[in-house]
């Protein structure tokens, strides 16, 4: 019985700790998307009421239909091209063929670059000459030297 209580307690703690992130995710993703869908059914210039007039006008317009068709065509073409190029390349790179390190480098560079850019952004913000310290030095009375921020866990 005690083990069951501990397991429930761990799950409750995990949920409690994840709750702020879930609320932020809901607030930054689902709420704007839901609001967009709701407002798309409202008559233009009115605060209340529901209509399909916006969708009717969009789908009856030839340009609107072309946008939907073009989006569908481009997504199918991108998917097909990705499969056609990646499957043979993956099968080829299983073996140590000539130039395989160059291909692997081409695949890994796009995976590594975002982390490097993120680290550079953190350094630009939190560094001794970063925005945070520049703000402190200019606008907070009594701060005369930059705040040192340790980037490692000791």
């Amino acid at each position: 019985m005690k083990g069951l209580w501990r397991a429930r307690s761990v799950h409750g703690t995990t949920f409690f700790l994840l709750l702020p992130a879930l609320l932020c995710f809901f607030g930054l993703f689902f709420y704007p998307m839901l609001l967009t869908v709701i407002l798309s059914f409202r008559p233009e210039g009115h605060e209340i009421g529901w209509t399909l007039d916006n969708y009717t006008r969009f789908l009856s317009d030839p340009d609107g239909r072309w946008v939907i068709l073009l989006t569908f065509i481009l997504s199918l073409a991108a998917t097909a091209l990705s499969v056609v190029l990646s499957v043979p390349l993956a099968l080829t790179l299983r073996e140590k063929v000539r130039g395989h390190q160059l291909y692997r480098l081409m695949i890994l560079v796009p995976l590594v670059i975002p982390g490097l850019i993120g680290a550079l952004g953190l350094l630009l913000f939190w560094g001794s000459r970063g925005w945070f310290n520049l703000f402190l030095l200019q606008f907070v009375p009594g701060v005369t030297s930059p705040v040192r921020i340790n980037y490692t866990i000791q």
Side-chain angles (χ1 to χ4, degrees), residues 35-48:
L35 189 62
T36 301
V37 170
I38 289 172
L39 291 177
S40 72
F41 286 108
R42 290 237 175 109
E44 192 170 336
H46 297 290
E47 293 295 319
I48 58 172

Side-chain angles (χ1 to χ4, degrees), residues 23-98:
L23 289 174
C24 285
F25 181 71
F26 177 79
L28 293 173
F29 179 72
F30 285 115
Y31 176 71
M33 193 167 77
L34 181 67
L35 189 62
T36 301
V37 170
I38 289 172
L39 291 177
S40 72
F41 286 108
R42 290 237 175 109
E44 192 170 336
H46 297 290
E47 293 295 319
I48 58 172
W50 301 92
T51 182
L52 292 174
D53 189 43
N54 295 331
Y55 289 100
T56 305
R57 274 188 287 136
F58 179 73
L59 293 174
S60 64
D61 183 21
D63 290 335
R65 287 192 305 267
W66 172 245
V67 165
I68 292 174
L69 181 64
L70 182 63
T71 302
F72 187 69
I73 290 170
L74 288 175
S75 64
L76 284 178
T79 302
L81 185 66
S82 176
V83 169
V84 165
L85 292 176
S86 64
V87 170
L89 186 61
L91 293 174
T92 302
L93 291 179
R94 285 190 314 178
E95 307 294 327
K96 298 244 184 210
V97 296
R98 185 171 168 250

Side-chain angles (χ1 to χ4, degrees), residues 5-19:
W5 174 255
R6 187 174 294 150
R8 285 187 180 169
S9 174
V10 168
H11 292 301
T13 304
T14 303
F15 177 74
F16 180 71
L17 292 173
L18 282 175
L19 190 60

Side-chain angles (χ1 to χ4, degrees), residues 119-138 143-151:
L120 180 63
L122 288 172
L123 186 62
L124 285 172
F125 187 80
W126 296 107
S128 61
R129 298 281 304 151
W131 294 349
F132 178 73
N133 276 316
L134 290 176
F135 173 79
L136 288 179
L137 291 171
Q138 290 178 2
V143 177
T144 58
S145 64
V147 177
R148 290 198 44 168
I149 298 181
N150 190 3
Y151 296 104

Side-chain angles (χ1 to χ4, degrees), residues 89-112:
L89 186 61
L91 293 174
T92 302
L93 291 179
R94 285 190 314 178
E95 307 294 327
K96 298 244 184 210
V97 296
R98 185 171 168 250
H100 75 282
Q101 290 177 337
L102 176 66
Y103 290 118
R104 288 189 181 168
L105 180 68
M106 288 173 31
I107 292 170
L108 289 177
V109 164
L111 298 175
V112 173

